[in-house]
Amino acid sequence: MTKILFTAVSAHGHVLPLGPLMQAALDDGHDVALIASEGLRGLVESELPAGVTLLAAGPMPFELATTAAERTGGDVMQPSIEGIGETFGGVLVDLSLPEALPLARAWQPDVVVADQYNTVGPLIAAILDVPWYRYAMSVHPPQSWTEAIDASAASRYESYETAPVAPQATLLAWPSSLTDSGDAAWTDAPVHEIAFTAHVGRSGGDVVDVADAGRTADASEAQPKVLATFGTIFSDAASLERLASSLDGIDTVITRGLALGETTAGDETTGSVQWAEFEPIGRLLEGVDLTVSAGGAGTVLASLSRGVPLVLWPQGADQPHIAEQVVRAGAGVTIASLDDTRQAVDDVLRDPRFAERAAAIADENRSRPQPREVLGSILQQTSRLS
């Protein structure tokens, strides 16, 4: 039995994609814990696999962003490069480690798996002298970002009288179809590709295979269905209501997903638009022909893993970089304003090439090693290191 400690930025889009690896570990009899904010306890207990132990520590996204903005004098939603470095390399560590490190010491992990923006896991691994692995489910950050994050984190390593240690490997869920030969890449350790699975929730439900998820032969006779979701961070009521108005007449599901507790004026169903509270993305995508999104990595990968093309309105974080890759791959388009949504949706639905490219990315994802296989490989490596 191995004790596997996962660490992630305390946001749905960073935590939920780790679920398949956690489930694989639990199925094989290993112990699994997650360091994340107490504010995510409800999510952990309802959405992650039963048996995951929450080691509650660290800030929720709003506190993380506002504290970094206060320190750097930057914009909360559009931080500078300095602000990005301070957010993930400074504030995240400062607000997490005082609680996280004692919890990790007591739990005694054998190995750490950290999402690509989480600096707490690698620092804990260095302090406890255990190997760690990076889980990368988004586009590689610009070099300026990684340098700023590393620079902010450096003083935290010094304060604990340790130094950064490279991961044993990067578990790469980001598709090669969305990566150009000239793009930045993870080069500090071997790369293990891993299939991405759209989150379907603890209670399970059938996972739709890409072979069954694409358009059927008579799809042209069916009414198209659109999923519109801006995730849990960048949603706001006014934007969602504008989106609902622009998509009137199309069978659409819009997730509220409001991070700041705002409410939309929409009823459960308004014309052709159905409003939905949080629901696992894997279920929301059933029968969907197109996704409208801000471009968060989780929504993008979930959609493409089902062969669903995208209309993207990037708002912040790494969303502009993600959108650029999707457009370059021919699996979607971007819009500069919500006023452009309806035309973009119509254009993508009418042109079969977008669905074909999305289906090709889904095929690539399906051909990759599954989480259980990847987990077995890294645990074999870990046992050789001990």
Side-chain angles (χ1 to χ4, degrees):
M1 181 188 71
T2 303
K3 302 185 76 173
I4 307 170
L5 177 62
F6 290 82
T7 67
V9 176
S10 295
H12 288 59
H14 290 254
V15 171
L16 292 179
L18 297 171
L21 268 174
M22 294 174 172
Q23 186 66 68
L26 291 166
D27 288 345
D28 286 347
H30 303 296
D31 285 346
V32 173
L34 168 70
I35 290 177
S37 172
E38 175 65 32
L40 287 186
R41 183 172 293 278
L43 183 78
V44 171
E45 294 178 349
S46 63
E47 295 297 328
L48 288 183
V52 174
T53 299
L54 175 64
L55 305 180
M60 290 292 281
F62 186 71
E63 181 184 5
L64 179 63
T66 54
T67 304
E70 289 168 0
R71 290 186 182 181
T72 62
D75 187 296
V76 171
M77 301 307 284
Q78 301 290 338
S80 64
I81 292 174
E82 178 192 8
I84 291 169
E86 184 59 24
T87 298
F88 298 108
V91 175
L92 184 60
V93 174
D94 295 343
L95 298 186
S96 301
L97 210 63
E99 293 177 307
L101 183 57
L103 291 170
R105 283 190 193 277
W107 198 73
Q108 297 182 320
D110 299 303
V111 61
V112 173
V113 178
D115 94 71
Q116 70 184 70
Y117 283 104
N118 183 272
T119 50
V120 176
L123 179 49
I124 287 175
I127 295 171
L128 300 184
D129 192 25
V130 297
W132 74 279
Y133 293 81
R134 176 190 293 119
Y135 181 81
M137 57 161 285
S138 185
V139 64
H140 191 289
Q143 183 177 345
S144 59
W145 290 20
T146 56
E147 290 176 348
I149 293 170
D150 290 345
S152 289
S155 62
R156 279 74 184 179
Y157 278 87
E158 291 172 3
S159 68
Y160 283 90
E161 299 182 340
T162 189
V165 178
Q168 294 299 313
T170 294
L171 313 184
L172 183 64
W174 189 250
S176 59
S177 301
L178 297 180
T179 306
D180 188 77
S181 59
D183 294 339
W186 301 108
T187 58
D188 56 354
V191 172
H192 298 325
E193 293 184 345
I194 184 170
F196 182 87
T197 302
H199 176 66
V200 294
R202 176 181 289 190
S203 59
D206 294 334
V207 176
V208 179
D209 190 280
V210 67
D212 301 318
R215 290 176 173 77
T216 58
D218 60 352
S220 61
E221 301 174 10
Q223 286 285 88
K225 181 178 178 181
V226 171
L227 169 65
T229 175
F230 289 162
T232 58
I233 304 298
F234 291 93
S235 295
D236 70 85
S239 295
L240 293 179
E241 288 168 4
R242 285 176 62 197
L243 187 63
S245 177
S246 69
L247 294 174
D248 185 39
I250 298 177
D251 183 9
T252 303
V253 174
I254 300 181
T255 64
R256 300 183 196 273
L258 302 172
L260 303 181
E262 300 178 78
T263 57
T264 54
D267 297 324
E268 291 306 308
T269 302
T270 306
S272 64
V273 173
Q274 177 183 351
W275 294 90
E277 304 301 332
F278 172 80
E279 182 79 10
I281 186 71
R283 297 186 182 182
L284 288 170
L285 283 166
E286 292 177 8
V288 164
D289 298 280
L290 181 144
T291 299
V292 179
S293 165
T299 300
V300 168
L301 290 191
S303 298
L304 293 176
S305 73
R306 299 290 183 85
V308 176
L310 298 127
V311 169
L312 300 176
W313 186 45
Q315 297 299 291
D318 54 3
Q319 293 170 359
H321 305 296
I322 291 171
E324 179 183 351
Q325 306 280 26
V326 171
V327 171
R328 187 171 61 192
V333 300
T334 58
I335 54 175
S337 165
L338 284 177
D339 296 335
D340 302 327
T341 305
R342 183 54 175 266
Q343 185 62 58
V345 167
D346 289 343
D347 289 345
V348 173
L349 288 174
R350 287 182 186 134
D351 189 338
R353 290 175 294 182
F354 291 104
E356 290 166 0
R357 288 301 305 143
I361 295 171
D363 285 339
E364 176 199 339
N365 180 67
R366 186 173 53 173
S367 71
R368 286 179 153 189
Q370 294 298 308
R372 189 171 189 177
E373 180 182 348
V374 174
L375 179 72
S377 296
I378 69 174
L379 292 185
Q380 283 183 359
Q381 182 179 17
T382 300
S383 66
R384 291 196 296 269
L385 294 170
S386 60

